[in-house]
Amino acid sequence: MKTYDIYFSDGSSSDNKGFFIKTEEKAIRMAEDMLVKGNSYIEDYAGGTISVVDSEGNTVWSKPIPVQ
């Protein structure tokens, strides 16, 4: 069974939340909420990207993180 995690990158570094989310839809919804509400990763990776990656390493969704 695939799981999904949320990744942040800015070209020079990257991080992930360490989630094992069971559905792609829920992971995307969580990532979109993070973009709207903000968190420390959004601030740290402003100008980079936020992505949802499945357990096989495939990026299934990605958006740029706006610079505040």
Side-chain angles (χ1 to χ4, degrees):
M1 174 189 222
K2 282 187 189 180
T3 59
Y4 301 86
D5 196 4
I6 299 173
Y7 281 75
F8 303 84
S9 77
D10 64 4
S12 62
S13 62
S14 66
D15 262 311
N16 65 303
K17 295 295 283 182
F19 293 146
F20 295 97
I21 303 165
K22 293 184 181 187
T23 68
E24 180 178 333
E25 294 80 14
K26 183 175 181 179
I28 291 170
R29 206 169 37 248
M30 288 177 69
E32 288 174 335
D33 285 347
M34 287 179 190
L35 274 174
V36 171
K37 296 175 183 173
N39 69 17
S40 61
Y41 283 112
I42 296 297
E43 293 170 13
D44 291 347
Y45 289 95
T49 58
I50 182 172
S51 305
V52 173
V53 178
D54 70 20
S55 53
E56 296 174 353
N58 301 308
T59 300
V60 296
W61 176 92
S62 185
K63 279 198 173 178
I65 300 171
V67 177
Q68 302 292 326

